[in-house]
């Protein structure tokens, strides 16, 4: 039976009575009291900053041809607006309903959105954070199509019932003018024409409205006479309609892949019927039907043939063919294949006026997972190079890290090697979506985001000044052989797909050393070089990490296997532990267990490595007696020591990447010293199971979600649960212990130490923190020849929940980061190498044995502790959460001081001061709805954080009050004052004899005086938060005040004019009343009361 430990019980009672308390043991040093903590709650505020990436699940699109702003709506009710490079904006509809259509009020700084919940909204884009001014919710009819004519304030809304309603976009009120479906179609028609799929006015006559019904009926409606002028009927359903700019012809696209061209005045039959992708039979019969043409646009040019652009319409025999956009110009037809299905497309034209030659110059194609802009002005229709960071999801993101305040030379260095990776063949013209202005940010420091992907690629992004731009892409899969076919695929894979996916990474910005771990239990060490090299043989180190027990749930093979010998622990020499640097010949026969086989095959041919990150060493875990290697759960690299350490549920391994040797391999249980109070219950091996180094974590558990699952979520306190149980089987049922965190430092590895020395802090998923001492040979040749000494020093402290992060402060509260080596080019000359190889000076040695000079900061899924070193006494403790668990914790620098930032599974974001662990911020921000958020959430210095809010988008947030205060200045502006182009000249003869564009007084036609009021039950008006009442709190700072005042003046100008007119009328009325009163007074002045 396990020995009862009174000290542990007392610790638990202390934790229960006070969530944050100093250890009050007599004689404990209290140096922590002299640390002046400058961080206060006033330094913290949480808010979203920007969202980067491709809009997830896009559904609609619109373009302002004067402002040159693109808007994209999504199925989740989000709006993304794009201008020039670096000008992006995100906003969200409260209902989260899909955006079915968008309409710009061209050059007005406003946008109308129509949603699947039958609501329409007016967005004000004249402020940096757009807001809704008005909303209108339809109650009885479903919205299917909207149309807002250029320079009109009347919005046409088509419905599923086939009716058309008209909305005043200024007041967002319905007009009494309604076009009913039964009046629009022939009276003799017995069937319903279907929903409205198209509305547009004749480019030359605003009084004529073209209405397309789904069934194939098109009606030209005369708005003044309120009757149909012409009706056009076709057998196939209509998907879209497009006008010729002269208003004499229009084109319809149909469900059988045909295009019909109609003359306005000859409704009997179309003047032309073509099937762009149909095979023309020789006997003159009708072509075979094709897939529906979902959209067509008809654009004219002054100097040449018109353009007809369409999506869909492919032949049915093209099974498996990718989606295509067809561009028909004169006699030529170009079919442009797309990587993803087409959601929508828009043809960009030189003029916003529909009654002029359109002069198309580009086509914006919105795909399900990409945005493509095609240049219509160059031969071959090349695409424009996108300036937006829309390729985050090129391969799914599997991990993410954020580095704020990096060394200044890093971004230029990464850009210089990344510029050679750019594709060729783009259009030479400027990106056509060029509206908006950049923000005037005051916070300018280098920021880098690193994303790891499922295909093994790693992308470095410049994230400075609220922008995002890809710098460099590294493909880690190049190191391995690729299986050419399914029959060649090795059966040693431990994942079914994406064997190269990035699991975790460790990056040292100062030395530029990079270490990545993949899901196939492999680790790759990279150095950064500006010179190209060819590596003849990739350096390979295979590591054999064993389990004492296999997974509890695995089936018993029946006693046919023989136990293997234990792997040497801390006492083993590097020569004994090291495996050959070449791939070993393991057994992989069908009649025996797999042994000594890695999951991936390292390439044997020479590897050409471009400037950038180049492979230094590949480390692979191998199969052991039929058991696959466990996925790597933690990883750390130190350039000053030349060491890489990684851990999983089998234990940890330390590799010297300079000597290319395995230094140290130990099971988790062996890290506990024999006298340690937290040592685990001894276990005896079961029959027919391999024994060796202890394995303590769930086999087969997805390590990419290790940070998301709390091992302590089932038990309120692991230590108490174990101490009460004397049964070995009850312990086995718990999730086995894995290494969860590392931290290199120069501190006191033992209580008796008086001088600092290199150390490694090791944290586990069961809350234990162990100290490992490192004995490094002198620098130079001795470092490359003599072995590095390593010794386990036992447990430092125990916390509830798995260890997430560790750090070290000195006696003044200053952060002591791991030592590093300055970057040098490994392929440069020896002299240049020596100039660059300067190790960062270590902390000054302390000779005062009686005084604690370091504070170890330790944070787990449940609590945080501060331990003084070398005495190893706990001086502060704080219970972060009782009912939930922490997903991510980081020690970050903020406002010249340090704090712990935490993100909990219940959605709370918290910060704690250091070293006293005072709560400074606690905001319920984002409930955990997706494991992706937990896997990618990360904090960085200076109050920055990010996470993947969707598979394609990064959301950046700040928890800094200073950044929140300056956010208005930092954000980009969407609306810029631009003159509207002049209307096209009608010409002398058109002006003399008519035939030019006919204008329409819509106010007289749709206004309340002539059309009356609409039914109140039809739609409900909802004032938005973006009007003047709601905008009072929307903007902050001087710029916000000025913008608010300017918008207020614009919106009140008209009201003031109306008020002035009313005041003048009242004054005239008052004068008239005064005159009449005076005349009455004179008339009855001298009369007695009885004479009245």
């Amino acid at each position: 039976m396990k020995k009862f430990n009174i000290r542990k019980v007392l610790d638990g009672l202390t934790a229960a009575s006070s969530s944050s308390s100093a250890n009050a043991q007599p004689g404990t040093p209290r140096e922590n009291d002299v640390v002046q903590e400058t961080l206060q709650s006033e330094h913290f505020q949480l808010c979203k900053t920007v969202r980067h990436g491709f809009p997830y699940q896009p559904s609609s699109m619109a373009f302002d041809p004067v402002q040159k702003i693109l808007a994209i709506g999504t199925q989740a009710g989000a709006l993304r607006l794009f201008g020039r490079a670096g000008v992006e904006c995100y906003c969200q509809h409260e209902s989260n309903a899909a955006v079915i259509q968008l309409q710009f009020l061209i050059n007005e700084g406003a946008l109308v959105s129509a949603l699947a919940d039958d609501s329409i909204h007016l967005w004000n884009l004249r402020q940096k954070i757009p807001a809704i001014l008005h909303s209108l919710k339809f109650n009885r009819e479903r919205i299917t199509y909207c149309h807002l004519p250029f320079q009109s304030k009347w919005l046409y809304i088509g419905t599923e019932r086939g009716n058309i309603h008209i909305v005043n976009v200024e007041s967002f009120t319905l007009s009494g003018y309604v076009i009913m479906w039964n009046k629009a179609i022939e009276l003799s028609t017995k069937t319903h024409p279907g929903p409205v799929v198209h509305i547009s006015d004749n480019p030359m006559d605003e009084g004529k409205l073209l209405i397309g019904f789904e069934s194939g009926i098109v009606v030209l409606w005369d708005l003044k006479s309120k009757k149909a002028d012409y009706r056009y009927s076709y057998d196939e359903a209509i998907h879209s309609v497009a006008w010729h700019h002269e208003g004499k012809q229009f084109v319809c696209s149909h469900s059988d892949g045909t295009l019909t061209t109609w003359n306005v005045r000859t409704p009997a039959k179309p003047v032309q019927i073509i099937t762009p992708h149909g095979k023309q039979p020789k006997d003159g019969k009708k072509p075979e039907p094709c897939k529906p043409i979902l959209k067509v646009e008809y654009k004219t040019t002054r100097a040449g043939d018109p353009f007809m652009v369409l999506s869909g319409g492919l032949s049915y025999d093209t099974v498996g063919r990718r989606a295509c956009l067809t561009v028909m110009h004169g006699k030529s037809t170009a079919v442009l294949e797309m990587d993803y299905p087409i959601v929508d497309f828009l043809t960009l034209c030189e003029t916003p006026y529909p009654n002029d030659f359109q002069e198309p110059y580009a086509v914006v194609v919105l795909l399900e997972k990409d945005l493509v802009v095609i240049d219509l002005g160059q031969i071959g229709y090349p695409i424009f190079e996108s300036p937006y960071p829309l390729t985050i999801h090129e391969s799914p993101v599997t991990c993410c890290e954020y580095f704020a305040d990096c060394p200044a030379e890093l971004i230029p260095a990464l850009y210089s090697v990344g510029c050679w990776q750019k594709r060729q063949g783009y259009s030479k013209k400027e990106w056509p979506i060029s509206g908006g202005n950049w923000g005037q940010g005051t916070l300018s420091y280098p920021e880098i985001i690193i994303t790891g992907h499922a295909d093994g690629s790693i992308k470095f992004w410049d994230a400075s000044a609220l922008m995002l731009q890809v710098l460099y892409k590294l493909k880690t899969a190049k190191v391995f052989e690729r299986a050419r076919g399914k029959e060649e695929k090795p059966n040693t894979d431990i994942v079914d797909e994406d064997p190269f996916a990035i699991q975790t990474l460790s990056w040292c910005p100062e030395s530029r050393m990079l270490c990545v771990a993949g899901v196939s239990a492999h680790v790759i060490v990279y150095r950064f070089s500006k010179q190209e090299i060819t590596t003849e043989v990739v350096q390979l180190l295979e590591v054999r990490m064993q389990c004492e027990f296999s997974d509890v749930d695995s089936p018993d093979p029946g006693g046919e296997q023989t136990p293997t010998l234990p792997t040497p622990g801390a006492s083993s020499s590097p020569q004994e532990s090291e495996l050959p640097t070449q791939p070993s010949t393991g057994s992989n026969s069908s009649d025996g267990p797999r042994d000594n086989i890695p999951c991936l095959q390292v390439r044997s041919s020479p590897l050409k490595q471009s400037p950038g990150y180049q492979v230094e060493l590949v480390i692979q875990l191998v199969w052991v007696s039929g058991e696959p290697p466990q996925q790597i759960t933690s990883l750390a690299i130190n350039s000053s020591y030349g060491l890489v350490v990684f851990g999983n549920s089998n234990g940890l391994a330390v590799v010297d990447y300079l000597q290319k040797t395995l230094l140290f391999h130990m099971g988790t249980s062996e890290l506990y010293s024999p006298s340690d109070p937290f040592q685990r219950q001894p276990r005896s091996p079961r029959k027919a199971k391999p024994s060796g180094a202890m394995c303590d974590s769930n086999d087969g558990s997805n390590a990419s979600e290790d940070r998301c699952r709390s091992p302590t979520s089932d038990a309120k306190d692991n230590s108490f649960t174990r101490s009460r149980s004397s049964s070995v089987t009850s312990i086995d049922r718990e999730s086995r212990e894995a290494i969860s965190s590392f931290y290199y430092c120069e501190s006191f590895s033992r209580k008796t130490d008086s001088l600092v020395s290199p150390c490694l802090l090791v944290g586990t998923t069961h809350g234990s923190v162990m100290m490992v001492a490192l004995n490094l040979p002198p620098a130079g040749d001795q470092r490359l020849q003599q072995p590095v000494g390593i010794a386990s020093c036992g447990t430092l402290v125990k916390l509830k929940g798995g260890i997430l992060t560790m750090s070290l402060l000195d006696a003044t509260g200053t952060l002591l980061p791991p030592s590093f080596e300055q970057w040098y080019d490994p392929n440069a000359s020896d002299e240049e190498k020596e100039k660059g190889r300067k190790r960062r000076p270590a902390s000054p040695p302390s000779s005062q044995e009686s005084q604690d000079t370091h504070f170890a900061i330790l944070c787990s899924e449940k609590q945080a502790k501060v331990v003084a070193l070398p005495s190893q006494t706990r001086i502060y403790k704080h219970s972060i959460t009782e009912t939930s668990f922490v997903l991510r914790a980081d020690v970050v620098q903020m406002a010249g001081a340090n704090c712990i930032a935490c993100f909990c599974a219940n959605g709370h974001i918290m910060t704690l001061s250091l070293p006293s662990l005072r709560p400074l911020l606690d905001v319920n921000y984002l409930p955990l709805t997706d494991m992706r958020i937990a896997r990618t959430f990360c904090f960085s210095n200076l109050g920055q954080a990010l996470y993947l809010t969707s598979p394609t988008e990064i959301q950046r947030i700040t928890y800094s009050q200073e950044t929140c205060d300056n956010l208005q200045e930092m954000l980009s502006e969407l609306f810029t004052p631009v003159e509207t182009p002049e209307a096209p000249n009608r010409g002398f003869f058109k002006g003399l004899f008519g035939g030019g564009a006919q204008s329409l007084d819509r106010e007289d036609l749709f206004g309340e005086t002539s059309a009356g009021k609409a039914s109140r039950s039809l739609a409900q008006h909802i004032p938005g938060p973006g009007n003047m009442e709601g905008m009072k709190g929307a903007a902050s700072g001087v710029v916000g005040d000025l913008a608010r005042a300017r918008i207020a003046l614009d919106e009140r100008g008209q009201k003031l004019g109306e008020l002035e007119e009313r005041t003048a009328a009242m004054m005239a009325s008052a004068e008239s009343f005064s005159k009449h009163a005076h005349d009455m007074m004179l008339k009855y002045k001298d009369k007695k009361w009885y004479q009245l």
Side-chain angles (χ1 to χ4, degrees), residues 496-517:
D496 293 334
E497 53 187 26
D498 299 324
F500 309 112
I502 304 300
Q503 187 100 15
T504 184
L505 59 88
S506 174
W507 187 51
C508 175
E510 289 80 12
S511 67
R512 305 183 192 175
M513 290 296 298
L514 174 68
C515 188
V516 300

Side-chain angles (χ1 to χ4, degrees), residues 613-925:
Y613 276 101
Q614 299 170 350
V615 180
E616 174 87 357
L617 177 66
V618 178
I619 307 162
Q620 288 186 287
L621 302 186
V622 296
W623 285 67
V624 178
S625 302
E627 292 290 336
Q630 295 299 297
Q631 292 183 339
I632 292 161
T633 54
S634 53
L635 177 72
I637 188 168
N638 187 283
S639 58
S640 180
Y641 306 157
L643 301 179
V644 168
V645 59
F646 56 91
N648 60 12
S649 56
N650 292 0
L652 67 85
V654 182
V655 170
D656 184 340
Y657 66 79
L658 299 177
Q659 298 184 22
K660 312 291 190 294
T661 58
L662 174 66
L663 295 173
F664 180 80
H665 163 217
M666 185 176 271
T668 315
S669 62
E670 297 176 87
L671 289 170
Y672 297 93
S673 62
S675 60
D676 192 90
F678 305 118
Q679 187 175 2
R680 294 293 184 268
Q681 175 80 15
R683 309 181 187 183
S684 56
R686 282 190 243 150
K687 292 180 181 179
K689 293 289 180 181
S691 62
M694 179 174 165
C695 174
D696 246 349
S697 120
N698 246 337
D699 278 2
S701 66
N702 189 348
S704 68
E705 296 176 5
D706 185 73
R707 187 181 289 145
C708 319
R709 278 178 56 256
S710 172
T712 60
S713 57
D714 298 328
K716 292 185 178 179
D717 185 341
N718 264 352
S719 59
F720 285 130
T721 306
R722 267 192 300 279
S723 65
R724 293 192 196 103
S725 172
S726 61
S727 168
V728 175
T729 55
S730 66
I731 300 173
D732 285 342
R733 290 195 191 101
E734 296 178 10
S735 60
R736 289 180 296 183
E737 190 167 21
I739 307 297
S740 61
S741 182
F742 293 115
Y743 188 77
Y744 289 101
C745 58
E746 297 194 359
S747 188
F748 308 94
S749 55
R750 297 175 178 85
K751 289 184 180 182
T752 56
D753 287 355
S754 58
L755 297 176
V756 296
S757 60
C759 308
L760 176 67
L761 285 170
V762 181
T764 74
T765 54
H766 282 184
S768 297
V769 178
M770 280 81 81
M771 185 76 85
V772 175
L774 307 173
N775 186 12
L776 296 165
D781 292 340
Q782 295 182 62
R783 173 65 185 86
L784 299 176
Q785 295 168 1
Q786 298 180 15
V788 176
I790 301 177
S792 174
C793 303
T795 306
L796 176 67
V797 71
K798 180 77 169 61
L799 283 77
K800 291 181 184 178
I803 303 298
L804 296 178
T805 190
M806 300 178 286
S807 196
L808 195 69
L809 304 181
D810 66 9
T812 63
T814 305
L815 189 68
L816 296 175
S819 60
F820 56 83
E821 189 177 61
Q822 289 294 341
W823 175 78
Y824 66 93
D825 198 321
N827 301 319
S829 63
D830 291 339
E831 291 181 6
E832 291 180 10
K833 284 185 184 180
E834 287 304 317
K835 286 180 184 176
R837 296 188 70 168
K838 292 179 181 177
R839 183 179 160 189
R840 186 186 72 85
S843 307
S846 170
S847 59
Q848 300 177 2
E849 295 184 25
S850 61
Q851 202 169 20
D852 287 330
T853 57
H854 285 175
F855 301 127
I857 311 300
L858 314 165
C859 185
S860 75
E861 295 170 319
K862 291 286 187 179
Q863 58 184 191
K865 286 184 181 180
V866 177
V867 176
L869 299 175
S871 68
Q872 299 188 6
T873 54
R874 190 201 76 202
I875 56 172
Y876 286 112
K877 172 181 163 184
H878 177 75
S879 178
I880 299 172
T881 176
E882 294 291 344
T883 57
S884 183
F885 57 95
V886 180
L887 292 165
R888 176 76 185 227
D890 290 291
V891 176
V892 293
Q893 293 179 332
M894 172 89 176
N898 305 297
C899 64
I900 300 177
C902 306
F903 173 54
C904 284
N906 60 10
H908 284 252
I909 290 178
M910 293 173 277
T911 59
L912 306 173
S913 70
L914 289 177
S916 68
L917 303 179
R918 285 182 299 112
L920 297 171
L921 173 76
D922 187 351
V923 177
N924 188 2
Y925 170 70

Side-chain angles (χ1 to χ4, degrees), residues 302-354:
R302 203 175 297 274
D305 294 317
F307 282 86
M308 200 171 286
V309 186
L310 53 105
S311 64
L314 294 179
S315 174
Y316 278 105
D317 60 9
T318 56
V319 178
R321 188 173 178 181
R322 293 188 293 183
C324 293
L325 187 82
T326 306
V327 181
M328 301 168 67
H329 183 222
K331 294 182 179 179
S332 70
T333 300
V335 181
L336 310 175
E337 280 198 350
M338 301 293 158
D339 291 335
Y340 305 101
I342 297 172
V343 175
D344 196 4
F345 73 87
L346 293 170
T347 308
L348 309 189
C349 302
E350 297 287 353
T351 177
Y353 292 94

Side-chain angles (χ1 to χ4, degrees), residues 81-115:
L81 296 120
F82 298 91
R84 66 177 65 189
V87 175
E88 294 182 48
C89 183
Y90 158 78
C91 33
Q92 178 74 39
H93 294 90
E94 282 187 13
S95 68
N96 298 328
V99 181
I100 57 174
Q101 202 173 347
L102 295 169
Q103 290 270 312
F104 272 102
L105 277 68
I106 294 174
N107 206 26
E108 295 290 333
L111 176 74
V112 173
S113 59
L115 271 57

Side-chain angles (χ1 to χ4, degrees), residues 986 989-996 998:
R986 292 175 65 187
F989 290 104
K990 283 187 177 180
L992 188 64
F993 301 109
Q998 301 294 316

